[in-house]
Amino acid sequence: MTDLETILSWFQTGDMPTEEEFKETFSSFRLKNTKIPIAEVEKLESLLNSKINADDYVKDGKIRADKIEALGLTELIESSEKDISEFAENSDKYEFQQNDFIAIPDDEENFSLFIFKGGEKNSKSNYLPTGLTSIMISMVEGLQMVLDSKLSKPTEVGNYFINHNTNSGYRAINPTVNYLLFWNNTDFLSSDIYNNSGKYGIGTTTPSEMLHLNNGRIRAKAMVFDENSEILPYQITHNNKRYYGSDLTGTSRLFMYRDFADYKALWQSFTEPEKIEIKTLMNGGWTTNTMSVYISYPRFIKSNDPEPAFITLIGANLNLPPTSFTIEILNSSDTVVATIDNSHVSLTDSNKLNFWDNTLKLLPLGIYKIRLWNGAAYYIHNNAIEIKDIIDVVDLSDNVWTIKTYNDEPYDNINTLNDRVNISVDVDFANNMPNNGQAMISALSKSYVTNQDNFIINIGLTCTGTNPNNDNNLFPLGLTTTDTPNLFTDMLIWMGYSGSNYQINQIKSSVGGFFNVPISTEATLLIQKQGSNITVVLSVGTSIFVGYTIVDTSVLKNIYFKSLYFRNFNTNPNSISGAYIYKINSIIKY
């Protein structure tokens, strides 16, 4: 094969090339459809033989394109530049590395191959010619298929990933700054998770904590807490085997307790009203307030009485839970001597409790206590009942009421029996006296007890018809030590009906002496005297009023019942109808 310089010398101006020179010239060139044996590619065969088994990478004397990368030539780079110098200047457009092939095209779709030996990519000297020039794609077996499998590089600057699916290609990745990515099975997109200086926000770009969910919830099978003693608003923490929750002020409270001592400390921290409220809830909603009994009536039971004993307890917080209560009778040693059958108990309201029993009369003579259990606590009422052979019940059959009227004029509308006074307004009488609050009439009983006796008196009041008091005219009944009838309220204690209120006076109590009650409501007054002390219980419907007073017992004085009716109308007496009835139910001395 003749070298190029010799051939060119044969074709200088004025030369006449010979047939042999023409033959040698054309024999020195390779037609483009002529395959190039590997042996004729400079150093290629020795290079292949030194590293790998050439038979695995060469077929029919040609390089197999599918083995180029396995030869250590990791990429075959197709250049758009027409010479290696231009390629080196624009090498930053391409991604390649040492030992990669660079294919430089010409205008006729042929290629010259160069190997990048490493170093600066923009230096032409780092690209070694392979000696293969004017190579067409078809001259390298499988090269066209390999080139077809290569992806066209994006034309715009940006971030891309290669999507190798049915149609392979570059896909842009353009997330919003600081947002984490997620894969939607097609593209990488911006998620709702935002990174702000190492803190992550979901739904917010200004997370205040390591992970901040804005207006969202967390759902998980479990959460594991590290030990944390800090206290911040709206925080749940775990410290020393306890969980804490804080409010908006940062005040931290336990909501999981380590042991019984923790629970006990919680209960001990409650106020008394809070403890009562919780105990009431645990008791089915029935009261667990401190029960109290002001008076039990009747206090005395006759031994071996043929009739059952009916007992009424009057006090506070007596609305015992129907399914969990007991009433027991205790002797002086606090031994239970009788238990009342629950079916014999009437749980009237919180201020009153009634029961009956047919065995109490069989107990030995003496004083007994009543113990109540409301499902949460006990209460003992001392000196509740006394079993006696003889009970001194006062006989009122010989009682006669002495009547006194204003100016001693006759008063037509008063009726008396031994144990009661029934009075209504006498219109003619009322119209003939001044409307100045003066009493119109009084009634005075005989004396059956003294100020030195111990006694229990049960009095009932009934108001019938329309409001007989109307404009606060007053009708009282009480106890007096004055033995002559008069029109004054010179009484130790009295109860009455004024306007729309029951009224009780001359006693001491932290509760007011008036009850707002509807017309025709009955009231009961219990007066119990023990020594110089008088306890008064006024029961109106479900309302209870309790008070007390002290009487002078140093000088013996008879006690009388006294009733008054006052003229204090602001309207015409003709418009008033109805009546008051006071009835002395019983007097027991002991």
Side-chain angles (χ1 to χ4, degrees), residues 238-459:
H238 179 271
N239 187 38
N240 193 24
K241 301 181 181 178
R242 297 177 177 93
Y243 284 94
Y244 296 85
S246 60
D247 60 19
L248 69 126
T249 67
T251 301
S252 183
R253 294 181 174 86
L254 281 168
F255 61 85
M256 189 196 83
Y257 298 92
R258 181 173 59 181
D259 48 29
F260 175 74
D262 264 5
Y263 280 104
K264 184 177 179 181
L266 172 68
W267 280 81
Q268 289 172 335
S269 69
F270 293 146
T271 63
E272 281 305 314
E274 289 171 338
K275 291 177 183 177
I276 289 171
E277 185 175 350
I278 292 176
K279 287 190 292 183
T280 300
L281 288 173
M282 295 178 67
N283 200 33
W286 298 93
T287 183
T288 55
N289 283 344
T290 302
M291 297 173 285
S292 61
V293 176
Y294 309 132
I295 195 169
S296 55
Y297 183 85
R299 184 171 180 269
F300 305 102
I301 298 175
K302 186 176 181 180
S303 180
N304 296 307
D305 192 322
E307 298 296 327
F310 290 86
I311 307 294
T312 297
L313 304 181
I314 298 175
N317 301 310
L318 300 180
N319 53 329
L320 308 182
T323 59
S324 177
F325 75 92
T326 57
I327 300 176
E328 298 168 317
I329 310 301
L330 310 181
N331 62 18
S332 59
S333 301
D334 289 337
T335 301
V336 177
V337 296
T339 299
I340 305 303
D341 189 326
N342 284 7
S343 65
H344 296 175
V345 180
S346 174
L347 301 172
T348 308
D349 53 64
S350 63
N351 299 317
K352 190 182 297 183
L353 188 154
N354 302 309
F355 66 87
W356 66 272
D357 188 86
N358 206 27
T359 64
L360 298 181
K361 59 191 177 183
L362 303 178
L363 294 175
L365 302 182
I367 298 174
Y368 293 86
K369 307 172 187 178
I370 296 177
R371 183 168 71 177
L372 306 177
W373 167 252
N374 65 2
Y378 283 105
Y379 173 78
I380 295 178
H381 176 46
N382 294 306
N383 301 321
I385 55 176
E386 183 176 355
I387 311 299
K388 300 184 68 168
D389 274 330
I390 300 174
I391 298 177
D392 188 0
V393 179
V394 175
D395 182 5
L396 299 175
S397 62
D398 63 345
N399 181 42
V400 176
W401 297 86
T402 302
I403 307 300
K404 171 67 177 175
T405 64
Y406 180 77
N407 289 339
D408 294 325
E409 295 291 332
Y411 192 99
D412 293 336
N413 292 343
I414 183 169
N415 296 295
T416 61
L417 295 174
N418 306 111
D419 60 355
R420 73 194 67 188
V421 174
N422 185 333
I423 189 169
S424 58
V425 64
D426 184 329
V427 175
D428 292 335
F429 188 98
N431 286 331
N432 290 325
M433 66 174 290
N435 186 25
N436 57 1
Q438 173 68 46
M440 296 184 292
I441 186 171
S442 73
L444 187 69
S445 73
K446 290 178 61 175
S447 174
Y448 292 97
V449 293
T450 71
N451 63 338
Q452 294 180 350
D453 289 331
N454 293 327
F455 55 79
I456 298 177
I457 300 174
N458 183 318
I459 303 173

Side-chain angles (χ1 to χ4, degrees), residues 73-92:
L73 309 176
T74 57
E75 286 286 347
L76 178 61
I77 309 302
E78 181 180 355
S79 169
S80 60
E81 287 77 16
K82 297 299 179 67
D83 64 52
I84 193 64
S85 297
E86 290 183 19
F87 177 84
E89 291 176 3
N90 299 308
S91 59
D92 57 347

Side-chain angles (χ1 to χ4, degrees), residues 402 444-445 447 480-486 490 558-560:
T402 302
L444 187 69
S445 73
S447 174
T480 181
T481 57
T482 302
D483 58 359
T484 56
N486 60 48
D490 52 350
N558 290 327
I559 293 179
Y560 307 86

